[in-house]
Amino acid sequence: MSSVRFVIPKLRLTQLLKEPGGLAVADAVTKAGENLVTIRPTCRAELLALLDQAEATAKSSPETNRELIDLLYEYAVRSIGAGEICGVPAVDVALTSFCDLLDYMKTNGRFDREAIDVYLRAWRLLMSPELPAAGRDAVLAGLRQVTDRYAAD
Amino acid sequence: MLTAAARKWRSFVVQQGQVVALDPTSRARFNLEKANILLLDDTPMGMAILVQIVTGLGAKKLHRCTDVEMAKQVASNTQLDLAIVDALPPSGAGYGFVKWLRNTAQEPNCYTPVLMTTAHTPRSDINRARDCGSHLIVKKPIAPIVLLERIIWVSKEGRPFLFSGDYVGPDRRFRDERPPGGVGRRREDAPASGPPPATTPSDDETASSASSLT
């Protein structure tokens, strides 16, 4: 029988947060948002570089399908979060869906080149901030359908 | 008069009947200036986003770590107040770091509040994510208001820390006591009809607008 011990630690963070000074929530959130705007250009450049790498990897066709899935997953998962900063939040949604797809393929031992290509083309398309909302939503809905086909396995 | 617990909830709003979110227009204050915060993210973009958010929230003492070894070094030499740790996919090494922090780091760092950030959790990693010993998981993309809300949440004292055979970390069985069913913030209440009571100061006066969040 294993022993269980409970401790209620005293956290210094609790006291520090209450110290005089600091920021009002509204001011802090505004400041953080302004800070994020300053890194938008570099974020966009990095996101595009990751997309270039993903496309190049898909074209070069690594030795095994498993290897391709792993590499694409790595590019996609590292890119999630940047879309929101770059003003193209749909990219984050699409990449999360892409990661789901790749994870399903890996788990179920399946592979679908066409589905992967669809996602890469959509990623490139969604990078455009001028894309109309209706078109963007249609793309995302289509991608979700592609992934759902594998989720049921 | 409001109880302390009720006053604490005044800065929160209930969204969609389920999610409790910090009001982004709140004038309540908090202070992260002196908090030692460890940030672990192995991508320049992820780290940049995290740094911009956390500095915007007023943090000044940041320890930026781009790999687990660096994070272990910092956790061994610095008293931490908060750790924001990426899961580091696809390897999931971030979970391993949190497990190390809980099992190996000296007090008080083994109790450090940990927020895990994750872009996507593969099915094979769900158990690791649950069992690594982090306090909360924050899904990317990270919104500043969400991160702040989570920081305030994990700073709350009273959540027991559990040492059992295979799990060390905050007790995963905790209850989030929200305001009683359907009750929102007092300031949004409809004004009472009739003359005001000539007794003690009102609730609004009791809890000043510059109240602390914690």
Side-chain angles (χ1 to χ4, degrees):
Chain A
M1 197 170 147
S2 63
S3 65
V4 178
R5 184 164 62 95
F6 283 98
V7 173
I8 298 185
K10 190 110 182 131
L11 300 176
R12 195 171 66 167
L13 181 63
T14 313
Q15 298 309 314
L16 292 176
L17 283 168
K18 291 178 188 167
E19 285 208 349
L23 296 168
V25 170
D27 299 337
V29 171
T30 304
K31 178 73 179 134
E34 288 168 358
N35 284 357
L36 288 173
V37 171
T38 64
I39 58 167
R40 184 173 277 187
T42 36
C43 244
R44 185 170 172 82
E46 287 191 46
L47 190 53
L48 284 168
L50 282 162
L51 171 56
D52 290 342
Q53 283 178 290
E55 287 172 336
T57 303
K59 270 190 196 131
S60 67
S61 294
E63 281 186 16
T64 61
N65 293 339
R66 175 68 182 258
E67 198 182 336
L68 176 61
I69 289 172
D70 285 344
L71 285 168
L72 290 176
Y73 183 87
E74 191 165 342
Y75 293 131
V77 81
R78 284 165 177 265
S79 305
I80 294 173
E84 184 78 37
I85 311 298
C86 301
V88 284
V91 170
D92 290 330
V93 181
L95 289 175
T96 303
S97 181
F98 192 25
C99 285
D100 283 338
L101 172 77
L102 296 166
D103 189 31
Y104 293 143
M105 284 184 181
K106 191 169 165 177
T107 313
N108 303 330
R110 294 185 59 182
F111 183 77
D112 183 344
R113 183 73 202 213
E114 191 58 37
I116 287 172
D117 288 341
V118 164
Y119 264 99
L120 291 175
R121 284 198 298 271
W123 183 355
R124 175 73 63 189
L125 179 70
L126 292 169
M127 284 301 295
S128 166
E130 291 84 32
L131 192 67
R136 184 194 59 210
D137 293 345
V139 170
L140 291 178
L143 293 176
R144 182 41 67 188
Q145 280 180 351
V146 171
T147 295
D148 285 348
R149 218 183 299 154
Y150 291 85
D153 286 355
Chain B
M1 187 149 167
L2 288 176
T3 63
R7 216 177 292 134
K8 202 180 286 181
W9 281 107
R10 289 164 58 90
S11 299
F12 289 76
V13 290
V14 178
Q15 291 184 339
Q16 298 167 346
Q18 292 292 322
V19 181
V20 178
L22 189 59
D23 181 356
T25 62
S26 170
R27 300 304 304 171
R29 299 184 82 84
F30 66 96
N31 196 338
L32 274 175
E33 272 178 30
K34 292 182 188 163
N36 269 311
I37 303 178
L38 180 148
L39 305 177
L40 172 58
D41 198 311
D42 62 349
T43 64
M45 191 163 60
M47 179 62 84
I49 292 170
L50 211 46
V51 167
Q52 295 307 326
I53 293 176
V54 178
T55 52
L57 299 180
K60 291 195 161 68
K61 296 161 99 174
L62 304 183
H63 303 272
R64 305 172 199 201
C65 305
T66 52
D67 61 47
V68 168
E69 282 313 308
M70 201 188 289
K72 284 182 180 175
Q73 197 73 31
V74 169
S76 301
N77 298 319
T78 313
Q79 185 180 343
L80 300 174
D81 299 302
L82 174 69
I84 304 175
V85 177
D86 189 73
L88 304 182
S91 70
Y95 303 126
F97 168 70
V98 179
K99 209 163 177 66
W100 174 89
L101 187 72
R102 297 304 186 216
N103 286 281
T104 313
Q106 298 292 309
E107 287 191 25
N109 277 0
C110 62
Y111 302 123
T112 304
V114 175
L115 296 177
M116 289 294 303
T117 61
T118 177
H120 183 263
T121 306
R123 286 201 273 186
S124 55
D125 258 357
I126 286 174
N127 287 350
R128 279 175 89 192
R130 190 196 61 197
D131 296 337
C132 70
S134 69
H135 281 74
L136 289 172
I137 294 181
V138 183
K139 174 89 176 67
K140 291 181 179 181
I142 302 169
I145 186 68
V146 171
L147 192 66
L148 176 58
E149 184 195 40
R150 301 299 190 266
I151 290 171
I152 289 164
W153 175 251
V154 297
S155 76
K156 287 179 185 174
E157 286 174 331
R159 188 168 166 191
F161 213 84
L162 177 64
F163 292 82
S164 74
D166 50 3
Y167 177 76
V168 180
D171 192 351
R172 289 167 292 188
R173 297 166 302 172
F174 65 95
R175 190 185 299 229
D176 179 3
E177 296 282 6
R178 293 174 182 158
V183 177
R185 291 179 300 169
R186 294 295 301 270
R187 77 175 70 146
E188 289 163 0
D189 287 354
S193 55
T199 52
T200 52
S202 71
D203 289 340
D204 279 342
E205 288 163 337
T206 310
S208 71
S209 60
S211 60
S212 165
L213 276 167
T214 53

